[in-house]
mmCIF file of all heavy atoms in Angstrom:
data_model
loop_
_atom_site.group_PDB
_atom_site.id
_atom_site.type_symbol
_atom_site.label_atom_id
_atom_site.label_comp_id
_atom_site.label_asym_id
_atom_site.label_seq_id
_atom_site.Cartn_x
_atom_site.Cartn_y
_atom_site.Cartn_z
ATOM 1 N N GLU A 35 90.675 67.849 165.394
ATOM 2 C CA GLU A 35 89.941 66.869 166.242
ATOM 3 C C GLU A 35 89.063 66.035 165.305
ATOM 4 O O GLU A 35 88.256 66.556 164.527
ATOM 5 C CB GLU A 35 89.070 67.592 167.233
ATOM 6 C CG GLU A 35 88.370 66.697 168.207
ATOM 7 C CD GLU A 35 89.264 66.024 169.229
ATOM 8 O OE1 GLU A 35 90.380 66.635 169.488
ATOM 9 O OE2 GLU A 35 88.974 64.947 169.703
ATOM 10 N N PRO A 36 89.192 64.704 165.299
ATOM 11 C CA PRO A 36 88.383 63.896 164.424
ATOM 12 C C PRO A 36 86.881 64.027 164.676
ATOM 13 O O PRO A 36 86.469 63.999 165.854
ATOM 14 C CB PRO A 36 88.806 62.454 164.782
ATOM 15 C CG PRO A 36 90.133 62.577 165.474
ATOM 16 C CD PRO A 36 90.080 63.883 166.197
ATOM 17 N N SER A 37 86.124 64.195 163.625
ATOM 18 C CA SER A 37 84.673 64.345 163.720
ATOM 19 C C SER A 37 84.027 63.608 162.597
ATOM 20 O O SER A 37 84.545 63.606 161.467
ATOM 21 C CB SER A 37 84.287 65.890 163.650
ATOM 22 O OG SER A 37 84.862 66.626 164.689
ATOM 23 N N GLY A 38 82.903 62.992 162.898
ATOM 24 C CA GLY A 38 82.116 62.291 161.837
ATOM 25 C C GLY A 38 82.907 61.087 161.336
ATOM 26 O O GLY A 38 83.654 60.414 162.064
ATOM 27 N N HIS A 39 82.676 60.738 160.062
ATOM 28 C CA HIS A 39 83.390 59.647 159.433
ATOM 29 C C HIS A 39 84.843 59.984 159.197
ATOM 30 O O HIS A 39 85.156 61.040 158.594
ATOM 31 C CB HIS A 39 82.685 59.369 158.090
ATOM 32 C CG HIS A 39 83.350 58.255 157.302
ATOM 33 N ND1 HIS A 39 83.481 56.939 157.775
ATOM 34 C CD2 HIS A 39 83.899 58.216 156.076
ATOM 35 C CE1 HIS A 39 84.094 56.193 156.896
ATOM 36 N NE2 HIS A 39 84.388 56.942 155.875
ATOM 37 N N VAL A 40 85.712 59.176 159.705
ATOM 38 C CA VAL A 40 87.140 59.421 159.602
ATOM 39 C C VAL A 40 87.754 58.546 158.479
ATOM 40 O O VAL A 40 87.498 57.305 158.413
ATOM 41 C CB VAL A 40 87.868 59.054 160.941
ATOM 42 C CG1 VAL A 40 89.386 59.236 160.804
ATOM 43 C CG2 VAL A 40 87.315 59.947 162.068
ATOM 44 N N VAL A 41 88.509 59.261 157.588
ATOM 45 C CA VAL A 41 89.131 58.607 156.453
ATOM 46 C C VAL A 41 90.597 58.757 156.584
ATOM 47 O O VAL A 41 91.121 59.810 156.825
ATOM 48 C CB VAL A 41 88.672 59.264 155.112
ATOM 49 C CG1 VAL A 41 89.421 58.619 153.965
ATOM 50 C CG2 VAL A 41 87.141 59.081 154.903
ATOM 51 N N ASP A 42 91.321 57.647 156.505
ATOM 52 C CA ASP A 42 92.785 57.641 156.565
ATOM 53 C C ASP A 42 93.441 58.188 155.285
ATOM 54 O O ASP A 42 93.302 57.581 154.209
ATOM 55 C CB ASP A 42 93.269 56.231 156.803
ATOM 56 C CG ASP A 42 94.773 56.145 156.998
ATOM 57 O OD1 ASP A 42 95.424 57.201 157.126
ATOM 58 O OD2 ASP A 42 95.283 54.957 157.118
ATOM 59 N N GLY A 43 94.083 59.322 155.399
ATOM 60 C CA GLY A 43 94.736 59.972 154.239
ATOM 61 C C GLY A 43 96.240 59.678 154.150
ATOM 62 O O GLY A 43 96.851 60.274 153.296
ATOM 63 N N LYS A 44 96.728 58.839 155.008
ATOM 64 C CA LYS A 44 98.168 58.615 155.022
ATOM 65 C C LYS A 44 98.645 58.101 153.678
ATOM 66 O O LYS A 44 98.057 57.140 153.136
ATOM 67 C CB LYS A 44 98.530 57.589 156.149
ATOM 68 C CG LYS A 44 100.016 57.371 156.366
ATOM 69 C CD LYS A 44 100.223 56.517 157.592
ATOM 70 C CE LYS A 44 101.738 56.307 157.817
ATOM 71 N NZ LYS A 44 102.372 55.489 156.754
ATOM 72 N N ASP A 45 99.728 58.621 153.158
ATOM 73 C CA ASP A 45 100.245 58.236 151.874
ATOM 74 C C ASP A 45 99.336 58.474 150.702
ATOM 75 O O ASP A 45 99.365 57.788 149.707
ATOM 76 C CB ASP A 45 100.703 56.723 151.860
ATOM 77 C CG ASP A 45 101.775 56.517 152.907
ATOM 78 O OD1 ASP A 45 102.632 57.395 153.100
ATOM 79 O OD2 ASP A 45 101.783 55.433 153.533
ATOM 80 N N LYS A 46 98.442 59.446 150.906
ATOM 81 C CA LYS A 46 97.506 59.850 149.848
ATOM 82 C C LYS A 46 97.706 61.333 149.423
ATOM 83 O O LYS A 46 98.234 62.093 150.280
ATOM 84 C CB LYS A 46 96.051 59.642 150.316
ATOM 85 C CG LYS A 46 95.714 58.301 150.914
ATOM 86 C CD LYS A 46 95.775 57.195 149.908
ATOM 87 C CE LYS A 46 95.020 55.925 150.397
ATOM 88 N NZ LYS A 46 95.419 55.431 151.709
ATOM 89 N N LEU A 47 97.213 61.697 148.284
ATOM 90 C CA LEU A 47 97.303 63.104 147.878
ATOM 91 C C LEU A 47 95.942 63.600 147.588
ATOM 92 O O LEU A 47 95.107 62.933 146.867
ATOM 93 C CB LEU A 47 98.149 63.211 146.568
ATOM 94 C CG LEU A 47 98.175 64.568 145.812
ATOM 95 C CD1 LEU A 47 98.977 65.546 146.650
ATOM 96 C CD2 LEU A 47 98.698 64.390 144.444
ATOM 97 N N LEU A 48 95.566 64.726 148.131
ATOM 98 C CA LEU A 48 94.209 65.330 147.972
ATOM 99 C C LEU A 48 94.321 66.530 147.015
ATOM 100 O O LEU A 48 95.130 67.417 147.192
ATOM 101 C CB LEU A 48 93.682 65.792 149.330
ATOM 102 C CG LEU A 48 92.182 66.232 149.345
ATOM 103 C CD1 LEU A 48 91.242 65.022 149.072
ATOM 104 C CD2 LEU A 48 91.824 66.906 150.607
ATOM 105 N N LEU A 49 93.469 66.536 146.027
ATOM 106 C CA LEU A 49 93.378 67.606 145.050
ATOM 107 C C LEU A 49 91.934 68.000 144.822
ATOM 108 O O LEU A 49 91.061 67.159 145.046
ATOM 109 C CB LEU A 49 93.979 67.200 143.734
ATOM 110 C CG LEU A 49 95.514 66.911 143.708
ATOM 111 C CD1 LEU A 49 95.899 66.437 142.281
ATOM 112 C CD2 LEU A 49 96.328 68.149 144.030
ATOM 113 N N PRO A 50 91.717 69.277 144.416
ATOM 114 C CA PRO A 50 90.342 69.575 143.913
ATOM 115 C C PRO A 50 89.980 68.719 142.693
ATOM 116 O O PRO A 50 90.883 68.340 141.940
ATOM 117 C CB PRO A 50 90.415 71.081 143.529
ATOM 118 C CG PRO A 50 91.902 71.301 143.339
ATOM 119 C CD PRO A 50 92.656 70.395 144.202
ATOM 120 N N GLY A 51 88.683 68.390 142.585
ATOM 121 C CA GLY A 51 88.236 67.603 141.460
ATOM 122 C C GLY A 51 88.418 68.339 140.083
ATOM 123 O O GLY A 51 88.341 69.563 140.050
ATOM 124 N N PHE A 52 88.765 67.579 139.087
ATOM 125 C CA PHE A 52 88.916 68.117 137.730
ATOM 126 C C PHE A 52 87.570 68.278 137.096
ATOM 127 O O PHE A 52 86.524 67.692 137.495
ATOM 128 C CB PHE A 52 89.729 67.165 136.858
ATOM 129 C CG PHE A 52 91.164 66.873 137.381
ATOM 130 C CD1 PHE A 52 91.641 65.566 137.349
ATOM 131 C CD2 PHE A 52 91.881 67.837 138.018
ATOM 132 C CE1 PHE A 52 92.879 65.261 137.821
ATOM 133 C CE2 PHE A 52 93.116 67.563 138.540
ATOM 134 C CZ PHE A 52 93.620 66.244 138.447
ATOM 135 N N VAL A 53 87.551 69.085 136.022
ATOM 136 C CA VAL A 53 86.326 69.260 135.197
ATOM 137 C C VAL A 53 86.634 68.610 133.838
ATOM 138 O O VAL A 53 87.571 68.946 133.160
ATOM 139 C CB VAL A 53 85.986 70.722 135.030
ATOM 140 C CG1 VAL A 53 84.801 70.855 134.055
ATOM 141 C CG2 VAL A 53 85.725 71.377 136.317
ATOM 142 N N ASN A 54 85.816 67.618 133.508
ATOM 143 C CA ASN A 54 85.820 67.109 132.114
ATOM 144 C C ASN A 54 84.951 68.050 131.277
ATOM 145 O O ASN A 54 83.718 67.926 131.208
ATOM 146 C CB ASN A 54 85.200 65.689 132.088
ATOM 147 C CG ASN A 54 85.246 65.002 130.726
ATOM 148 O OD1 ASN A 54 85.611 65.651 129.736
ATOM 149 N ND2 ASN A 54 84.786 63.741 130.695
ATOM 150 N N ALA A 55 85.572 69.056 130.738
ATOM 151 C CA ALA A 55 84.866 70.269 130.316
ATOM 152 C C ALA A 55 84.211 70.213 128.918
ATOM 153 O O ALA A 55 83.615 71.156 128.484
ATOM 154 C CB ALA A 55 85.797 71.459 130.382
ATOM 155 N N HIS A 56 84.337 69.030 128.260
ATOM 156 C CA HIS A 56 83.616 68.908 126.988
ATOM 157 C C HIS A 56 83.568 67.385 126.615
ATOM 158 O O HIS A 56 84.613 66.745 126.426
ATOM 159 C CB HIS A 56 84.261 69.659 125.879
ATOM 160 C CG HIS A 56 83.617 69.490 124.476
ATOM 161 N ND1 HIS A 56 82.383 70.053 124.191
ATOM 162 C CD2 HIS A 56 84.016 68.800 123.383
ATOM 163 C CE1 HIS A 56 82.090 69.764 122.952
ATOM 164 N NE2 HIS A 56 83.033 68.991 122.440
ATOM 165 N N THR A 57 82.325 66.879 126.490
ATOM 166 C CA THR A 57 82.144 65.542 126.013
ATOM 167 C C THR A 57 80.798 65.405 125.436
ATOM 168 O O THR A 57 79.981 66.319 125.494
ATOM 169 C CB THR A 57 82.404 64.491 127.164
ATOM 170 O OG1 THR A 57 82.474 63.175 126.556
ATOM 171 C CG2 THR A 57 81.306 64.505 128.214
ATOM 172 N N HIS A 58 80.510 64.211 124.848
ATOM 173 C CA HIS A 58 79.247 63.914 124.250
ATOM 174 C C HIS A 58 78.957 62.454 124.763
ATOM 175 O O HIS A 58 79.389 61.486 124.089
ATOM 176 C CB HIS A 58 79.295 63.964 122.720
ATOM 177 C CG HIS A 58 79.742 65.244 122.138
ATOM 178 N ND1 HIS A 58 79.019 66.390 122.059
ATOM 179 C CD2 HIS A 58 80.936 65.521 121.566
ATOM 180 C CE1 HIS A 58 79.720 67.318 121.510
ATOM 181 N NE2 HIS A 58 80.906 66.873 121.203
ATOM 182 N N SER A 59 78.218 62.306 125.789
ATOM 183 C CA SER A 59 78.110 60.972 126.405
ATOM 184 C C SER A 59 77.530 59.907 125.498
ATOM 185 O O SER A 59 77.933 58.738 125.590
ATOM 186 C CB SER A 59 77.343 61.053 127.760
ATOM 187 O OG SER A 59 76.004 61.483 127.545
ATOM 188 N N PRO A 60 76.498 60.147 124.692
ATOM 189 C CA PRO A 60 75.931 59.033 123.893
ATOM 190 C C PRO A 60 76.942 58.381 122.930
ATOM 191 O O PRO A 60 76.655 57.311 122.413
ATOM 192 C CB PRO A 60 74.790 59.768 123.130
ATOM 193 C CG PRO A 60 74.386 60.856 124.023
ATOM 194 C CD PRO A 60 75.676 61.377 124.537
ATOM 195 N N GLU A 61 78.053 59.110 122.681
ATOM 196 C CA GLU A 61 79.058 58.492 121.753
ATOM 197 C C GLU A 61 79.685 57.216 122.335
ATOM 198 O O GLU A 61 80.368 56.455 121.636
ATOM 199 C CB GLU A 61 80.161 59.467 121.418
ATOM 200 C CG GLU A 61 79.734 60.559 120.489
ATOM 201 C CD GLU A 61 80.886 61.471 120.104
ATOM 202 O OE1 GLU A 61 82.046 61.082 120.238
ATOM 203 O OE2 GLU A 61 80.592 62.610 119.689
#
Side-chain angles (χ1 to χ4, degrees):
E35 185 69 28
S37 300
H39 177 59
V40 176
V41 175
D42 184 6
K44 186 174 182 293
D45 300 325
K46 310 292 198 308
L47 173 70
L48 189 70
L49 294 175
F52 304 139
V53 177
N54 182 357
H56 178 72
T57 190
H58 308 282
S59 65
E61 288 184 20

